[in-house]
Amino acid sequence: MDLALTESQEMLKSAARTFMERECSRQVLLDLDRTETGISPEIWGQLARMGWLGLAIPAEYGGEGAGLLDTAIVYEQLGRGPLGGPHFSSAVLGGLVVLECGTEDQRREVLPRVAAGEQVLALAYTEPDYGWGPESVKMAARRDGSDYILDGVKLFVHDAAAATHLLCVARTGDSPDPTAGLSVFLVDRSEPGVSVRTLPGFMAGLGEVRFEGVRVPAGAVLGEPGAAWPGLSRAFLKAIPVLCAYKVGATEAVFEMSVSYSQTRVQFGQPIGRFQRVQDHIIDIVNYLDSARWTTYEAIWKLETGRPAEASVHLAKAVASESFYRACNSAHEVHAGIGSVRNYGLVLFTKASRSLYNYLGDPKFHKRRLADALEL
């Protein structure tokens, strides 16, 4: 397994880090955290112009066709901010769902707009009975002539506040098999009956979406009605390691903040980094960072080289979610009181670690899927 970056990938990594340092200062990110969407039109426009909203989208559909590794390299640097906003929800997860579930005409219509930043997607999948397996989708779409009627609630929808269009997953058929009968609807957020409520306390943009008698044409179904689960599974498998890479970058930033603080904060006449207990917390963060990094990039390497990757993807998500969460806990132990001061910046990472912990499945969910993949 060769995880070394090529010269062009090193340049891409350097460009992404420079962008974050130049355009996304701590104060900028603190201000964005107070907004509804978590991102500004200026930064969104820059992401589009640099082609980063099309990294995971093939060139024939207006994207960069860069591959998962290049996409992960950029997202690791975005995680160091952490830069919020719908870039992952739309350009990676949403784009992959359209790519894997949609027809050729739907891909050619939607994906170029997503890559250009003109159309922003958010996946409305999870419901009050929260879960990322097919059995957790209970919302039904009722057929009415040539249209479908959507009624129901989708909860903890990431970047719903920023979306122009929602990818709503609902049932269009009854079957004892939970993987059968699922369909993905492309719904304009401005349609009558669609309402979004932002949920406080999480990353900006996380919300509740209500569909109340929303009428959508049959042509809004991506691909064949009732046959969406295989495409959704493929999209999740590719998107999850990119989200993990974002968490790797965030964990690395938390590590650097903790080391720097331990070297400059003086107590009892010496830097606190000389105390054994502080060192223990920082070593914990190192272990969390390394485990998240290597499981993430092993999964990406397997996907990129066509090897069986399902078990590795589930392992990466379980490890990265737990590592980011626990690294933030350890960082607060190092920082003590100042870590809770909003302007210091650590709380942005702590909010992200909690908000993203369950996104695309929590560690317990992925450990069960890992056991299934290993046929244990």
Side-chain angles (χ1 to χ4, degrees), residues 158-191:
H158 283 257
D159 301 300
T164 62
H165 291 76
L166 299 162
L167 296 170
C168 178
V169 182
R171 294 198 172 274
T172 53
D174 293 325
S175 172
D177 180 2
T179 65
L182 290 179
S183 298
V184 180
F185 293 85
L186 181 65
V187 183
D188 192 316
R189 189 189 149 187
S190 64
E191 285 289 332

PDB file of all heavy atoms in Angstrom, residues 158-191:
ATOM      1  N   HIS A 158     -28.146  17.886   6.961  1.00  0.00           N
ATOM      2  CA  HIS A 158     -26.979  18.764   6.897  1.00  0.00           C
ATOM      3  C   HIS A 158     -27.097  19.731   5.726  1.00  0.00           C
ATOM      4  O   HIS A 158     -27.389  19.345   4.594  1.00  0.00           O
ATOM      5  CB  HIS A 158     -25.703  17.938   6.774  1.00  0.00           C
ATOM      6  CG  HIS A 158     -25.278  17.318   8.055  1.00  0.00           C
ATOM      7  ND1 HIS A 158     -24.243  17.796   8.819  1.00  0.00           N
ATOM      8  CD2 HIS A 158     -25.783  16.249   8.738  1.00  0.00           C
ATOM      9  CE1 HIS A 158     -24.103  17.053   9.906  1.00  0.00           C
ATOM     10  NE2 HIS A 158     -25.031  16.106   9.879  1.00  0.00           N
ATOM     11  N   ASP A 159     -26.886  21.002   6.039  1.00  0.00           N
ATOM     12  CA  ASP A 159     -26.848  22.091   5.053  1.00  0.00           C
ATOM     13  C   ASP A 159     -28.181  22.316   4.357  1.00  0.00           C
ATOM     14  O   ASP A 159     -28.223  22.836   3.242  1.00  0.00           O
ATOM     15  CB  ASP A 159     -25.724  21.848   4.035  1.00  0.00           C
ATOM     16  CG  ASP A 159     -24.372  21.743   4.714  1.00  0.00           C
ATOM     17  OD1 ASP A 159     -23.967  22.721   5.370  1.00  0.00           O
ATOM     18  OD2 ASP A 159     -23.751  20.671   4.627  1.00  0.00           O
ATOM     19  N   ALA A 160     -29.254  21.967   5.041  1.00  0.00           N
ATOM     20  CA  ALA A 160     -30.581  22.230   4.479  1.00  0.00           C
ATOM     21  C   ALA A 160     -30.800  23.721   4.288  1.00  0.00           C
ATOM     22  O   ALA A 160     -31.475  24.147   3.343  1.00  0.00           O
ATOM     23  CB  ALA A 160     -31.658  21.650   5.400  1.00  0.00           C
ATOM     24  N   ALA A 161     -30.237  24.543   5.188  1.00  0.00           N
ATOM     25  CA  ALA A 161     -30.446  25.985   5.119  1.00  0.00           C
ATOM     26  C   ALA A 161     -29.800  26.604   3.889  1.00  0.00           C
ATOM     27  O   ALA A 161     -30.235  27.654   3.412  1.00  0.00           O
ATOM     28  CB  ALA A 161     -29.906  26.655   6.381  1.00  0.00           C
ATOM     29  N   ALA A 162     -28.754  25.981   3.370  1.00  0.00           N
ATOM     30  CA  ALA A 162     -28.033  26.532   2.220  1.00  0.00           C
ATOM     31  C   ALA A 162     -28.508  25.959   0.893  1.00  0.00           C
ATOM     32  O   ALA A 162     -28.165  26.485  -0.166  1.00  0.00           O
ATOM     33  CB  ALA A 162     -26.536  26.265   2.378  1.00  0.00           C
ATOM     34  N   ALA A 163     -29.284  24.888   0.939  1.00  0.00           N
ATOM     35  CA  ALA A 163     -29.614  24.144  -0.280  1.00  0.00           C
ATOM     36  C   ALA A 163     -30.598  24.900  -1.168  1.00  0.00           C
ATOM     37  O   ALA A 163     -31.526  25.556  -0.689  1.00  0.00           O
ATOM     38  CB  ALA A 163     -30.198  22.782   0.082  1.00  0.00           C
ATOM     39  N   THR A 164     -30.384  24.766  -2.466  1.00  0.00           N
ATOM     40  CA  THR A 164     -31.398  25.201  -3.437  1.00  0.00           C
ATOM     41  C   THR A 164     -32.306  24.038  -3.800  1.00  0.00           C
ATOM     42  O   THR A 164     -33.455  24.240  -4.186  1.00  0.00           O
ATOM     43  CB  THR A 164     -30.743  25.731  -4.718  1.00  0.00           C
ATOM     44  OG1 THR A 164     -29.986  24.680  -5.349  1.00  0.00           O
ATOM     45  CG2 THR A 164     -29.822  26.901  -4.417  1.00  0.00           C
ATOM     46  N   HIS A 165     -31.774  22.803  -3.672  1.00  0.00           N
ATOM     47  CA  HIS A 165     -32.542  21.603  -4.001  1.00  0.00           C
ATOM     48  C   HIS A 165     -32.259  20.524  -2.947  1.00  0.00           C
ATOM     49  O   HIS A 165     -31.127  20.399  -2.452  1.00  0.00           O
ATOM     50  CB  HIS A 165     -32.176  21.065  -5.389  1.00  0.00           C
ATOM     51  CG  HIS A 165     -32.631  21.952  -6.502  1.00  0.00           C
ATOM     52  ND1 HIS A 165     -31.990  23.122  -6.827  1.00  0.00           N
ATOM     53  CD2 HIS A 165     -33.688  21.837  -7.361  1.00  0.00           C
ATOM     54  CE1 HIS A 165     -32.613  23.694  -7.842  1.00  0.00           C
ATOM     55  NE2 HIS A 165     -33.633  22.944  -8.191  1.00  0.00           N
ATOM     56  N   LEU A 166     -33.277  19.767  -2.632  1.00  0.00           N
ATOM     57  CA  LEU A 166     -33.175  18.684  -1.665  1.00  0.00           C
ATOM     58  C   LEU A 166     -33.275  17.343  -2.374  1.00  0.00           C
ATOM     59  O   LEU A 166     -34.105  17.171  -3.277  1.00  0.00           O
ATOM     60  CB  LEU A 166     -34.289  18.796  -0.627  1.00  0.00           C
ATOM     61  CG  LEU A 166     -34.283  20.078   0.211  1.00  0.00           C
ATOM     62  CD1 LEU A 166     -35.643  20.291   0.860  1.00  0.00           C
ATOM     63  CD2 LEU A 166     -33.181  20.033   1.258  1.00  0.00           C
ATOM     64  N   LEU A 167     -32.425  16.419  -1.989  1.00  0.00           N
ATOM     65  CA  LEU A 167     -32.510  15.044  -2.462  1.00  0.00           C
ATOM     66  C   LEU A 167     -33.257  14.255  -1.394  1.00  0.00           C
ATOM     67  O   LEU A 167     -32.669  13.787  -0.416  1.00  0.00           O
ATOM     68  CB  LEU A 167     -31.116  14.464  -2.701  1.00  0.00           C
ATOM     69  CG  LEU A 167     -30.297  15.136  -3.805  1.00  0.00           C
ATOM     70  CD1 LEU A 167     -28.851  14.634  -3.779  1.00  0.00           C
ATOM     71  CD2 LEU A 167     -30.919  14.897  -5.169  1.00  0.00           C
ATOM     72  N   CYS A 168     -34.555  14.161  -1.553  1.00  0.00           N
ATOM     73  CA  CYS A 168     -35.412  13.542  -0.541  1.00  0.00           C
ATOM     74  C   CYS A 168     -35.567  12.054  -0.834  1.00  0.00           C
ATOM     75  O   CYS A 168     -36.029  11.668  -1.919  1.00  0.00           O
ATOM     76  CB  CYS A 168     -36.775  14.221  -0.519  1.00  0.00           C
ATOM     77  SG  CYS A 168     -37.931  13.490   0.661  1.00  0.00           S
ATOM     78  N   VAL A 169     -35.216  11.230   0.141  1.00  0.00           N
ATOM     79  CA  VAL A 169     -35.339   9.779   0.005  1.00  0.00           C
ATOM     80  C   VAL A 169     -36.654   9.343   0.648  1.00  0.00           C
ATOM     81  O   VAL A 169     -36.906   9.618   1.826  1.00  0.00           O
ATOM     82  CB  VAL A 169     -34.155   9.053   0.664  1.00  0.00           C
ATOM     83  CG1 VAL A 169     -34.287   7.541   0.476  1.00  0.00           C
ATOM     84  CG2 VAL A 169     -32.833   9.549   0.087  1.00  0.00           C
ATOM     85  N   ALA A 170     -37.506   8.696  -0.133  1.00  0.00           N
ATOM     86  CA  ALA A 170     -38.818   8.259   0.360  1.00  0.00           C
ATOM     87  C   ALA A 170     -39.186   6.937  -0.295  1.00  0.00           C
ATOM     88  O   ALA A 170     -38.578   6.526  -1.292  1.00  0.00           O
ATOM     89  CB  ALA A 170     -39.879   9.313   0.061  1.00  0.00           C
ATOM     90  N   ARG A 171     -40.180   6.294   0.269  1.00  0.00           N
ATOM     91  CA  ARG A 171     -40.630   4.994  -0.249  1.00  0.00           C
ATOM     92  C   ARG A 171     -41.743   5.182  -1.279  1.00  0.00           C
ATOM     93  O   ARG A 171     -42.725   5.867  -1.032  1.00  0.00           O
ATOM     94  CB  ARG A 171     -41.119   4.110   0.892  1.00  0.00           C
ATOM     95  CG  ARG A 171     -40.012   3.712   1.847  1.00  0.00           C
ATOM     96  CD  ARG A 171     -40.333   2.522   2.711  1.00  0.00           C
ATOM     97  NE  ARG A 171     -39.129   2.135   3.450  1.00  0.00           N
ATOM     98  CZ  ARG A 171     -38.190   1.331   2.978  1.00  0.00           C
ATOM     99  NH1 ARG A 171     -38.336   0.805   1.770  1.00  0.00           N
ATOM    100  NH2 ARG A 171     -37.126   1.040   3.690  1.00  0.00           N
ATOM    101  N   THR A 172     -41.560   4.533  -2.417  1.00  0.00           N
ATOM    102  CA  THR A 172     -42.586   4.539  -3.457  1.00  0.00           C
ATOM    103  C   THR A 172     -43.166   3.148  -3.677  1.00  0.00           C
ATOM    104  O   THR A 172     -43.901   2.924  -4.633  1.00  0.00           O
ATOM    105  CB  THR A 172     -42.001   5.062  -4.776  1.00  0.00           C
ATOM    106  OG1 THR A 172     -40.818   4.316  -5.102  1.00  0.00           O
ATOM    107  CG2 THR A 172     -41.633   6.538  -4.663  1.00  0.00           C
ATOM    108  N   GLY A 173     -42.814   2.224  -2.790  1.00  0.00           N
ATOM    109  CA  GLY A 173     -43.341   0.867  -2.895  1.00  0.00           C
ATOM    110  C   GLY A 173     -43.232   0.154  -1.569  1.00  0.00           C
ATOM    111  O   GLY A 173     -42.387   0.481  -0.738  1.00  0.00           O
ATOM    112  N   ASP A 174     -44.123  -0.813  -1.354  1.00  0.00           N
ATOM    113  CA  ASP A 174     -44.108  -1.617  -0.124  1.00  0.00           C
ATOM    114  C   ASP A 174     -43.432  -2.944  -0.392  1.00  0.00           C
ATOM    115  O   ASP A 174     -43.686  -3.604  -1.402  1.00  0.00           O
ATOM    116  CB  ASP A 174     -45.538  -1.864   0.361  1.00  0.00           C
ATOM    117  CG  ASP A 174     -46.211  -0.586   0.819  1.00  0.00           C
ATOM    118  OD1 ASP A 174     -45.513   0.272   1.379  1.00  0.00           O
ATOM    119  OD2 ASP A 174     -47.430  -0.442   0.593  1.00  0.00           O
ATOM    120  N   SER A 175     -42.552  -3.323   0.542  1.00  0.00           N
ATOM    121  CA  SER A 175     -41.857  -4.599   0.423  1.00  0.00           C
ATOM    122  C   SER A 175     -41.310  -4.980   1.786  1.00  0.00           C
ATOM    123  O   SER A 175     -40.892  -4.120   2.562  1.00  0.00           O
ATOM    124  CB  SER A 175     -40.700  -4.487  -0.589  1.00  0.00           C
ATOM    125  OG  SER A 175     -39.914  -5.670  -0.572  1.00  0.00           O
ATOM    126  N   PRO A 176     -41.314  -6.268   2.107  1.00  0.00           N
ATOM    127  CA  PRO A 176     -40.692  -6.687   3.371  1.00  0.00           C
ATOM    128  C   PRO A 176     -39.188  -6.459   3.378  1.00  0.00           C
ATOM    129  O   PRO A 176     -38.565  -6.415   4.442  1.00  0.00           O
ATOM    130  CB  PRO A 176     -41.032  -8.185   3.449  1.00  0.00           C
ATOM    131  CG  PRO A 176     -41.343  -8.595   2.042  1.00  0.00           C
ATOM    132  CD  PRO A 176     -41.940  -7.393   1.384  1.00  0.00           C
ATOM    133  N   ASP A 177     -38.603  -6.314   2.193  1.00  0.00           N
ATOM    134  CA  ASP A 177     -37.182  -6.018   2.079  1.00  0.00           C
ATOM    135  C   ASP A 177     -36.982  -4.507   2.204  1.00  0.00           C
ATOM    136  O   ASP A 177     -37.442  -3.747   1.351  1.00  0.00           O
ATOM    137  CB  ASP A 177     -36.653  -6.504   0.730  1.00  0.00           C
ATOM    138  CG  ASP A 177     -35.172  -6.221   0.538  1.00  0.00           C
ATOM    139  OD1 ASP A 177     -34.532  -5.677   1.461  1.00  0.00           O
ATOM    140  OD2 ASP A 177     -34.658  -6.558  -0.550  1.00  0.00           O
ATOM    141  N   PRO A 178     -36.304  -4.021   3.261  1.00  0.00           N
ATOM    142  CA  PRO A 178     -36.167  -2.568   3.449  1.00  0.00           C
ATOM    143  C   PRO A 178     -35.346  -1.892   2.367  1.00  0.00           C
ATOM    144  O   PRO A 178     -35.439  -0.674   2.195  1.00  0.00           O
ATOM    145  CB  PRO A 178     -35.475  -2.456   4.817  1.00  0.00           C
ATOM    146  CG  PRO A 178     -34.766  -3.754   5.007  1.00  0.00           C
ATOM    147  CD  PRO A 178     -35.644  -4.784   4.337  1.00  0.00           C
ATOM    148  N   THR A 179     -34.554  -2.644   1.624  1.00  0.00           N
ATOM    149  CA  THR A 179     -33.746  -2.038   0.566  1.00  0.00           C
ATOM    150  C   THR A 179     -34.563  -1.822  -0.711  1.00  0.00           C
ATOM    151  O   THR A 179     -34.096  -1.142  -1.626  1.00  0.00           O
ATOM    152  CB  THR A 179     -32.528  -2.917   0.232  1.00  0.00           C
ATOM    153  OG1 THR A 179     -32.969  -4.165  -0.322  1.00  0.00           O
ATOM    154  CG2 THR A 179     -31.699  -3.186   1.477  1.00  0.00           C
ATOM    155  N   ALA A 180     -35.759  -2.394  -0.780  1.00  0.00           N
ATOM    156  CA  ALA A 180     -36.613  -2.253  -1.968  1.00  0.00           C
ATOM    157  C   ALA A 180     -37.613  -1.128  -1.763  1.00  0.00           C
ATOM    158  O   ALA A 180     -38.053  -0.858  -0.644  1.00  0.00           O
ATOM    159  CB  ALA A 180     -37.337  -3.561  -2.264  1.00  0.00           C
ATOM    160  N   GLY A 181     -37.959  -0.462  -2.858  1.00  0.00           N
ATOM    161  CA  GLY A 181     -38.994   0.552  -2.803  1.00  0.00           C
ATOM    162  C   GLY A 181     -38.520   1.951  -2.474  1.00  0.00           C
ATOM    163  O   GLY A 181     -39.339   2.866  -2.330  1.00  0.00           O
ATOM    164  N   LEU A 182     -37.214   2.159  -2.344  1.00  0.00           N
ATOM    165  CA  LEU A 182     -36.694   3.490  -2.030  1.00  0.00           C
ATOM    166  C   LEU A 182     -36.464   4.282  -3.313  1.00  0.00           C
ATOM    167  O   LEU A 182     -35.936   3.762  -4.290  1.00  0.00           O
ATOM    168  CB  LEU A 182     -35.386   3.400  -1.247  1.00  0.00           C
ATOM    169  CG  LEU A 182     -35.466   2.888   0.188  1.00  0.00           C
ATOM    170  CD1 LEU A 182     -34.076   2.844   0.811  1.00  0.00           C
ATOM    171  CD2 LEU A 182     -36.381   3.767   1.021  1.00  0.00           C
ATOM    172  N   SER A 183     -36.842   5.557  -3.274  1.00  0.00           N
ATOM    173  CA  SER A 183     -36.632   6.457  -4.405  1.00  0.00           C
ATOM    174  C   SER A 183     -36.015   7.761  -3.906  1.00  0.00           C
ATOM    175  O   SER A 183     -36.228   8.156  -2.752  1.00  0.00           O
ATOM    176  CB  SER A 183     -37.949   6.767  -5.122  1.00  0.00           C
ATOM    177  OG  SER A 183     -38.534   5.596  -5.650  1.00  0.00           O
ATOM    178  N   VAL A 184     -35.269   8.427  -4.782  1.00  0.00           N
ATOM    179  CA  VAL A 184     -34.680   9.732  -4.469  1.00  0.00           C
ATOM    180  C   VAL A 184     -35.368  10.778  -5.337  1.00  0.00           C
ATOM    181  O   VAL A 184     -35.374  10.661  -6.568  1.00  0.00           O
ATOM    182  CB  VAL A 184     -33.171   9.754  -4.718  1.00  0.00           C
ATOM    183  CG1 VAL A 184     -32.593  11.129  -4.370  1.00  0.00           C
ATOM    184  CG2 VAL A 184     -32.461   8.673  -3.912  1.00  0.00           C
ATOM    185  N   PHE A 185     -35.930  11.802  -4.682  1.00  0.00           N
ATOM    186  CA  PHE A 185     -36.618  12.884  -5.388  1.00  0.00           C
ATOM    187  C   PHE A 185     -35.758  14.143  -5.354  1.00  0.00           C
ATOM    188  O   PHE A 185     -35.262  14.536  -4.291  1.00  0.00           O
ATOM    189  CB  PHE A 185     -37.965  13.188  -4.724  1.00  0.00           C
ATOM    190  CG  PHE A 185     -38.972  12.085  -4.844  1.00  0.00           C
ATOM    191  CD1 PHE A 185     -38.985  11.031  -3.926  1.00  0.00           C
ATOM    192  CD2 PHE A 185     -39.915  12.093  -5.864  1.00  0.00           C
ATOM    193  CE1 PHE A 185     -39.911  10.021  -4.027  1.00  0.00           C
ATOM    194  CE2 PHE A 185     -40.848  11.069  -5.966  1.00  0.00           C
ATOM    195  CZ  PHE A 185     -40.850  10.033  -5.051  1.00  0.00           C
ATOM    196  N   LEU A 186     -35.602  14.759  -6.479  1.00  0.00           N
ATOM    197  CA  LEU A 186     -34.932  16.054  -6.558  1.00  0.00           C
ATOM    198  C   LEU A 186     -36.001  17.129  -6.419  1.00  0.00           C
ATOM    199  O   LEU A 186     -36.813  17.337  -7.310  1.00  0.00           O
ATOM    200  CB  LEU A 186     -34.191  16.201  -7.888  1.00  0.00           C
ATOM    201  CG  LEU A 186     -33.420  17.511  -8.101  1.00  0.00           C
ATOM    202  CD1 LEU A 186     -32.270  17.622  -7.100  1.00  0.00           C
ATOM    203  CD2 LEU A 186     -32.880  17.591  -9.527  1.00  0.00           C
ATOM    204  N   VAL A 187     -36.001  17.811  -5.274  1.00  0.00           N
ATOM    205  CA  VAL A 187     -37.071  18.752  -4.932  1.00  0.00           C
ATOM    206  C   VAL A 187     -36.492  20.152  -4.795  1.00  0.00           C
ATOM    207  O   VAL A 187     -35.567  20.377  -4.007  1.00  0.00           O
ATOM    208  CB  VAL A 187     -37.767  18.346  -3.617  1.00  0.00           C
ATOM    209  CG1 VAL A 187     -38.929  19.289  -3.319  1.00  0.00           C
ATOM    210  CG2 VAL A 187     -38.239  16.901  -3.672  1.00  0.00           C
ATOM    211  N   ASP A 188     -37.059  21.075  -5.531  1.00  0.00           N
ATOM    212  CA  ASP A 188     -36.693  22.481  -5.384  1.00  0.00           C
ATOM    213  C   ASP A 188     -37.131  22.956  -4.004  1.00  0.00           C
ATOM    214  O   ASP A 188     -38.298  22.781  -3.619  1.00  0.00           O
ATOM    215  CB  ASP A 188     -37.376  23.313  -6.473  1.00  0.00           C
ATOM    216  CG  ASP A 188     -36.817  24.725  -6.560  1.00  0.00           C
ATOM    217  OD1 ASP A 188     -36.613  25.361  -5.508  1.00  0.00           O
ATOM    218  OD2 ASP A 188     -36.594  25.201  -7.694  1.00  0.00           O
ATOM    219  N   ARG A 189     -36.199  23.551  -3.251  1.00  0.00           N
ATOM    220  CA  ARG A 189     -36.530  23.951  -1.887  1.00  0.00           C
ATOM    221  C   ARG A 189     -37.607  25.038  -1.847  1.00  0.00           C
ATOM    222  O   ARG A 189     -38.287  25.212  -0.830  1.00  0.00           O
ATOM    223  CB  ARG A 189     -35.260  24.459  -1.192  1.00  0.00           C
ATOM    224  CG  ARG A 189     -35.456  24.688   0.292  1.00  0.00           C
ATOM    225  CD  ARG A 189     -34.286  25.373   0.932  1.00  0.00           C
ATOM    226  NE  ARG A 189     -34.708  26.186   2.043  1.00  0.00           N
ATOM    227  CZ  ARG A 189     -33.932  27.000   2.714  1.00  0.00           C
ATOM    228  NH1 ARG A 189     -32.664  27.126   2.370  1.00  0.00           N
ATOM    229  NH2 ARG A 189     -34.393  27.713   3.708  1.00  0.00           N
ATOM    230  N   SER A 190     -37.798  25.757  -2.955  1.00  0.00           N
ATOM    231  CA  SER A 190     -38.792  26.827  -2.988  1.00  0.00           C
ATOM    232  C   SER A 190     -40.198  26.315  -3.295  1.00  0.00           C
ATOM    233  O   SER A 190     -41.148  27.102  -3.327  1.00  0.00           O
ATOM    234  CB  SER A 190     -38.401  27.878  -4.024  1.00  0.00           C
ATOM    235  OG  SER A 190     -38.403  27.330  -5.338  1.00  0.00           O
ATOM    236  N   GLU A 191     -40.346  25.008  -3.501  1.00  0.00           N
ATOM    237  CA  GLU A 191     -41.667  24.446  -3.795  1.00  0.00           C
ATOM    238  C   GLU A 191     -42.632  24.690  -2.625  1.00  0.00           C
ATOM    239  O   GLU A 191     -42.237  24.599  -1.449  1.00  0.00           O
ATOM    240  CB  GLU A 191     -41.565  22.941  -4.049  1.00  0.00           C
ATOM    241  CG  GLU A 191     -40.975  22.563  -5.388  1.00  0.00           C
ATOM    242  CD  GLU A 191     -41.910  22.867  -6.544  1.00  0.00           C
ATOM    243  OE1 GLU A 191     -43.148  22.858  -6.333  1.00  0.00           O
ATOM    244  OE2 GLU A 191     -41.411  23.126  -7.645  1.00  0.00           O
TER     245      GLU A 191
END
